[in-house]
């Protein structure tokens, strides 16, 4: 628990109405020593964890909301659901605004549980915002429970599931509304997009339901989830807290307290004038990005797309080798989307490469990440022009039995896992074990390496990676190689 010595808020014998609204969070803490131990009071100890400049912004926001409810009457310090919806406008879905309002007005400041008011007081507002934005897992879980249900005590698992869907949908909605998708696109429609539901299902699967499975059936959805379970879930699935922060920050346009959107949604770079629609959308790129190292989350650069660069294994090799860590993904003919993260530069060679930070993943029909088991070091493989070993790109498993394989005969691949891939413990990723595909993309993650070859040193073979790769496949040497400056090491 964080220390709240300088900002503790305690109820007085006369109740909250005896306190000046600004005194309640600042001046009262200075009198704490004369009031005795906080645990001896009739109510719990509440804390505002905001810095002074952050608290000032929270106070200004409350003033705006309460003026919507009471106009010029400053004696009534509270705001209604109608005022909150008017202030937020279309930035958030109405159901999420209602959840936020319910979570705030149900905060019990006295410990007497009289039943919530229809309006939110300044103290309730500050406590709720402090817990949502600054609190630990326990503090966040207290507000989440009140956002989920009006009943005291445990909530049904299906109620948590619905809350999670609303939360993910609200994040996509508010980022789109605020035009902060950073180059990515999100299709709109009357129903929740399939990948919003897929990401919500993945987050919900982190809930440890007694006797349940990773993806519980209808019988598990009737199980009760108490506060300890919600707290453990928030701790185990950090995206839940991150998404709550995004909803509050971007929904209310809070600027003072920091929110690093760049670490959530990477900036999308495509070096093409023509319009390019990725197989990734906002929920899927957020999910994959959350599994990368922090320095790799800021920026994604398109290296290869079958749509832009053709169905060519030579083009693929020429564009992805020596480019640093990257994410590759495919969409098979059945519409399933999956791929892998390569933690280091691809190299054309007959040996396995990479390290245990590589992983495989699935995006559709369900989202999941599969990390190294330590069973072997068959993380990455890229080869061509060989007579006795496979030619293609692979991740995990073994020769002719990869967890993910793209054949040199581009457009074909396999995902063999009976029962699981030995390297990543992944199941079959594609709809069929041997699959065909039309769409493949490779994205470099993080900043471009400063050690990449300068453009001024490039020959025609560097400019045309397909020509270079075809020359290598044919077994012919590059006679000009020894006549040029040696590029700096990667």
């Amino acid at each position: 628990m964080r220390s709240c010595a300088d900002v503790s808020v305690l109820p007085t014998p006369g109740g909250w109405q005896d306190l000046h609204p600004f005194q309640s969070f600042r001046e009262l803490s200075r009198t704490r020593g004369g009031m005795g131990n906080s645990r001896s009071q009739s109510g719990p100890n509440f804390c505002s964890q905001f810095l002074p400049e952050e608290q000032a912004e929270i106070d200004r926001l409350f003033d705006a909301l309460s003026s919507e409810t009471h106009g010029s009457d400053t004696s009534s310090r509270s705001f209604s659901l109608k005022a909150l919806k008017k202030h937020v406008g279309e930035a958030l879905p109405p159901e999420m605004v209602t959840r936020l309002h319910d979570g705030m007005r149900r905060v019990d400041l006295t410990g007497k549980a009289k039943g919530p008011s229809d309006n939110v007081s300044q103290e309730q507002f500050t406590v709720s915002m402090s817990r949502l934005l600054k609190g630990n897992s326990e503090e966040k879980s207290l507000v989440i429970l009140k956002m989920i249900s009006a009943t005291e005590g445990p909530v049904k698992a299906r109620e948590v599931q619905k809350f999670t869907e609303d939360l993910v949908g609200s994040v996509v909605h508010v980022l789109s509304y605020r035009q902060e998708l950073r180059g990515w696109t999100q299709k709109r429609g009357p129903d929740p997009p399939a990948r919003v539901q897929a990401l919500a299902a993945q987050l919900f699967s982190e809930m440890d339901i007694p006797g349940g499975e990773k993806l519980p059936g209808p019988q598990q959805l009737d199980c009760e989830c108490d506060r300890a379970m919600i707290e453990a879930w928030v701790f185990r699935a950090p995206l839940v807290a991150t998404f709550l922060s995004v909803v509050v920050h971007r929904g209310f346009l809070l600027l003072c307290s920091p929110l690093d959107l760049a670490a959530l949604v990477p900036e999308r770079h495509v070096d093409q004038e023509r319009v390019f629609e990725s197989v990734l959308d906002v929920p899927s790129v957020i999910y994959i990005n959350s599994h990368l190292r922090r320095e790799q989350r800021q920026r994604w650069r398109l290296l290869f797309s079958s749509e832009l660069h053709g169905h060519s294994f030579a083009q693929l090799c020429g564009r992805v080798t020596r480019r640093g860590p990257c994410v590759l993904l495919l969409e098979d003919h059945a519409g399933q989307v999956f791929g892998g993260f390569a933690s280091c530069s691809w190299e054309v060679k007959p040996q396995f490469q990479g390290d245990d930070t590589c992983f495989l993943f699935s995006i559709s029909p369900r989202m999941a990440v599969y990390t190294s088991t330590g069973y072997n070091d068959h993380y990455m493989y890229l080869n061509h022009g060989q007579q006795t070993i496979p030619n293609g790109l692979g991740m995990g498993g073994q020769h002719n039995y990869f967890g993910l394989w793209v054949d040199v005969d581009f457009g074909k691949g396999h995902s063999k896992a009976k029962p699981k891939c030995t390297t990543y413990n992944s199941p079959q990723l594609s709809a069929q074990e041997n699959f065909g595909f039309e769409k493949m993309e490779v994205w470099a993650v993080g900043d471009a390496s400063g050690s990449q070859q300068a453009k001024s040193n490039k020959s025609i073979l560097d400019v045309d990676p397909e020509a270079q790769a075809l020359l290598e496949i044919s077994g012919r040497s590059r006679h000009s190689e020894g006549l040029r400056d040696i590029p700096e090491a990667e």
Side-chain angles (χ1 to χ4, degrees), residues 115-341:
S117 166
D118 288 337
N119 287 0
V120 178
S121 70
Q122 183 169 19
E123 291 75 22
Q124 288 175 317
F125 181 64
T126 302
V127 167
S128 301
M129 297 289 274
S130 176
R131 287 174 174 173
L132 286 175
L133 299 180
K134 298 277 191 173
N136 56 26
S137 299
E138 178 186 5
E139 292 162 334
K140 285 181 169 65
S141 67
L142 293 171
V143 183
I144 290 173
L145 273 170
K146 297 179 185 301
M147 292 175 68
I148 292 175
S149 174
T151 60
E152 293 295 326
V155 297
K156 296 290 186 182
R158 67 176 69 256
E159 293 179 293
V160 182
Q161 182 186 48
K162 181 61 170 65
F163 166 79
T164 311
E165 289 183 1
D166 288 349
L167 179 62
V168 176
S170 296
V171 169
V172 175
H173 179 102
V174 74
L175 291 179
S176 178
Y177 182 83
R178 300 295 187 198
Q179 298 182 344
E180 293 179 309
L181 297 182
R182 310 193 78 206
W184 302 94
T185 58
Q186 181 65 29
K187 296 180 180 179
R188 295 188 177 184
D191 300 318
R195 292 188 193 171
V196 166
Q197 294 179 325
L199 179 52
Q202 194 285 323
L203 292 179
F204 179 69
S205 72
E206 298 294 330
M207 174 73 69
D208 188 13
I209 299 175
E213 302 174 354
K214 271 295 184 182
L215 291 174
Q219 63 277 17
Q220 281 80 34
L221 291 177
D222 287 327
C223 291
E224 291 188 337
C225 302
D226 59 19
R227 191 201 56 74
M229 292 172 61
I230 299 294
E231 179 185 344
W233 177 55
V234 174
F235 180 80
R236 191 181 300 115
L239 274 181
V240 173
T242 300
F243 285 174
L244 280 168
S245 183
V246 171
V247 165
V248 172
H249 273 287
R250 307 319 298 145
F252 297 156
L253 277 182
L254 290 175
L255 304 176
C256 190
S257 187
L259 173 65
D260 187 9
L261 278 179
L264 182 71
V265 185
E267 188 176 333
R268 176 184 185 264
H269 287 267
V270 178
D271 296 329
Q272 294 284 339
E273 293 183 0
R274 58 187 292 191
V275 176
F276 170 68
E277 184 176 348
S278 173
V279 299
L280 290 170
D281 61 0
V282 178
S284 52
V285 77
I286 286 177
Y287 179 64
I288 299 171
N289 206 45
S290 69
H291 289 83
L292 304 180
R293 294 197 300 271
R294 191 167 188 85
E295 64 270 18
Q296 298 169 336
R297 298 179 188 176
Q298 310 290 322
R299 190 169 292 103
W300 286 26
R301 294 169 291 111
L302 184 67
L303 297 180
F304 172 82
S305 162
S306 55
E307 177 184 333
L308 297 180
H309 306 120
H311 289 64
S312 165
F313 191 82
Q315 277 280 0
L316 172 66
C317 289
R319 290 183 178 275
V320 306
T321 52
R322 298 190 295 174
R323 294 299 187 94
C326 60
V327 170
L328 65 91
L329 58 145
L330 302 103
E331 181 177 8
D332 67 16
H333 287 161
Q336 295 197 185
V337 179
F338 48 90
F341 167 66

Side-chain angles (χ1 to χ4, degrees), residues 468-490:
Q468 172 187 336
L470 285 173
L471 188 62
E472 293 176 353
I473 291 173
S474 69
R476 299 177 184 177
S477 62
R478 295 171 58 181
H479 297 292
S480 64
E481 191 70 29
L483 302 178
R484 297 189 298 155
D485 293 336
I486 299 175
E488 297 178 10
E490 291 291 318

Side-chain angles (χ1 to χ4, degrees), residues 30-37 41:
R30 293 197 289 270
T31 65
R32 182 180 180 185
M35 299 177 64
N37 190 307
Q41 304 299 316

